[in-house]
Amino acid sequence: MKEKVKRVISEFNTVLKLKGFRAFQIEQDGSETRVYSRKEFYKICLTTGKSKIHYSDKSFEQEGTVLFFGNPHIPYSWETISTTYKGYTILFSEEFFKNSERSESLQQSSFFKIGGTPVLKITEEQRQFLNTIFQKMIAEQESDYVYKDELIRDYISLIIHESLKLEPAEDFDKNKNAALRLSSVFLELLERQFPIETTDQSLQLKSAQDFAKNLNVHVNYLNRAVKEVTGKSTTAHITERILTEAKALLQHTDWNISEIAFALGFDYPTYFNNFFKKQTGTNPKAFRLTEV
């Protein structure tokens, strides 16, 4: 039996950190399953074939041509079903697109949000038009044109705007494990904030409401899903993880209490002291002296 050829997408994490953008063509891609995991880049795929896409709390099985939008903040997996699979893929970092005045439109685009529609069905006419754009980006990335990055950002914006004109795919089905998927995304976002390595680094997502807003879901929906799957509330998970990090910083760094409080997202050291004492029965200073 012929060995299956696999494209190891995760290898692009390093490439994207260096250049910020990568475009390539997909050809004769054998059946494969990609790991449901975090990528460190945005992704737009134009593919023709049969596959199943799992994205947050949704699953989509498609046959034909689709346009897919992947978000670095939302884990997803892609199961290729057909033996012949072709199309184009572009990968780009958030920093690459931030150099454009259009970066805000990227963040607000429904295609990149957990509650949005990351998959669009594409007609043959639309496929031919989009093929041309992808081909131009592939050619441009190899050119010596001084302003090629700006031109590529223009092409990305064109794809997004053309996609906004299209009808979203209607046959998304809520996966039976919707709560499991959403909980996995929440836990992934929580964990990726750690470890805290510098004193000028501060937590951005500190409450259930923060996570719900980031995931574009109602906080009650997030709380129900996390509780159903893990048996603990969203707030309990956040509290436990912050407390674990607080203990590690107190034990293994020489940062003062104020610096630790700021790094953990507390506006004032007294707030951190109250939090720590409520959870452990002692204050941060006493804990540090005890553990030394």
Side-chain angles (χ1 to χ4, degrees), residues 23-73:
F24 55 92
Q25 187 171 3
I26 306 168
E27 293 182 295
Q28 298 298 324
D29 193 16
S31 177
E32 65 170 292
T33 300
R34 298 176 194 168
V35 178
Y36 185 75
S37 63
R38 184 186 76 208
K39 282 76 174 172
E40 296 180 355
F41 44 78
Y42 286 91
K43 176 178 183 178
I44 303 178
C45 287
L46 179 67
T47 59
T48 301
K50 186 175 182 180
S51 63
K52 182 178 289 186
I53 303 167
H54 305 291
Y55 186 90
S56 179
D57 63 337
K58 297 178 180 179
S59 289
F60 178 64
E61 185 169 340
Q62 64 85 18
E63 186 168 10
T65 301
V66 297
L67 191 63
F68 170 76
F69 298 84
N71 186 326
H73 306 298

Side-chain angles (χ1 to χ4, degrees), residues 143-162:
S143 76
D144 296 325
Y145 181 50
V146 176
Y147 302 107
K148 67 179 181 181
D149 285 357
E150 184 61 27
L151 184 54
I152 288 171
R153 285 190 281 266
D154 286 339
Y155 286 137
I156 295 174
S157 292
L158 179 57
I159 291 175
I160 293 174
H161 284 291
E162 286 296 324

Side-chain angles (χ1 to χ4, degrees), residues 1-7 29-33 80 83:
M1 181 179 294
K2 185 178 179 180
E3 186 178 352
K4 297 176 182 178
V5 178
K6 296 190 177 183
R7 289 176 284 109
D29 193 16
S31 177
E32 65 170 292
T33 300
T80 302
T83 55

Side-chain angles (χ1 to χ4, degrees), residues 49-237:
K50 186 175 182 180
S51 63
K52 182 178 289 186
I53 303 167
H54 305 291
Y55 186 90
S56 179
D57 63 337
K58 297 178 180 179
S59 289
F60 178 64
E61 185 169 340
Q62 64 85 18
E63 186 168 10
T65 301
V66 297
L67 191 63
F68 170 76
F69 298 84
N71 186 326
H73 306 298
I74 302 175
Y76 59 86
S77 66
W78 192 313
E79 179 183 356
T80 302
I81 299 174
S82 59
T83 55
T84 301
Y85 208 74
K86 60 183 181 180
Y88 298 92
T89 294
I90 60 170
L91 312 172
F92 57 96
S93 66
E94 188 168 357
E95 288 71 23
F96 178 82
F97 207 77
K98 272 185 176 179
N99 290 325
S100 166
E101 294 179 355
R102 295 169 295 275
S103 60
E104 186 66 22
S105 64
L106 174 69
Q107 298 292 335
Q108 297 304 317
S109 171
S110 62
F111 302 121
F112 291 107
K113 290 185 176 181
I114 193 172
T117 305
V119 181
L120 296 175
K121 286 186 175 180
I122 302 298
T123 66
E124 178 59 23
E125 181 180 359
Q126 292 163 345
R127 185 188 71 82
Q128 292 181 15
F129 174 73
L130 290 170
N131 272 355
T132 301
I133 301 177
F134 280 90
Q135 289 164 3
K136 286 180 180 296
M137 284 190 284
I138 290 176
E140 203 59 54
Q141 73 179 349
E142 304 300 333
S143 76
D144 296 325
Y145 181 50
V146 176
Y147 302 107
K148 67 179 181 181
D149 285 357
E150 184 61 27
L151 184 54
I152 288 171
R153 285 190 281 266
D154 286 339
Y155 286 137
I156 295 174
S157 292
L158 179 57
I159 291 175
I160 293 174
H161 284 291
E162 286 296 324
S163 300
L164 289 171
K165 300 177 184 178
L166 306 178
E167 290 294 326
E170 295 296 337
D171 49 353
F172 264 115
D173 292 319
K174 284 285 183 181
N175 191 278
K176 291 181 180 180
N177 294 321
L180 176 60
R181 291 186 180 280
L182 184 55
S183 296
S184 297
V185 175
F186 159 71
L187 293 172
E188 167 72 17
L189 289 179
L190 175 61
E191 187 59 35
R192 74 181 299 173
Q193 297 187 102
F194 305 97
I196 296 175
E197 298 176 331
T198 63
T199 55
D200 58 356
Q201 180 182 352
S202 182
L203 291 186
Q204 299 301 307
L205 304 177
K206 299 171 287 186
S207 68
Q209 189 66 50
D210 290 339
F211 282 93
K213 183 177 180 180
N214 185 273
L215 295 172
N216 197 36
V217 297
H218 195 282
V219 66
N220 291 342
Y221 177 49
L222 175 62
N223 286 333
R224 284 196 301 270
V226 173
K227 181 72 172 181
E228 176 184 337
V229 172
T230 69
K232 294 190 294 187
S233 68
T234 308
T235 299
H237 281 286

Side-chain angles (χ1 to χ4, degrees), residues 258-273:
S258 295
E259 289 172 328
I260 293 175
F262 172 79
L264 292 173
F266 293 90
D267 294 331
Y268 302 101
T270 52
Y271 292 175
F272 172 56
N273 286 335

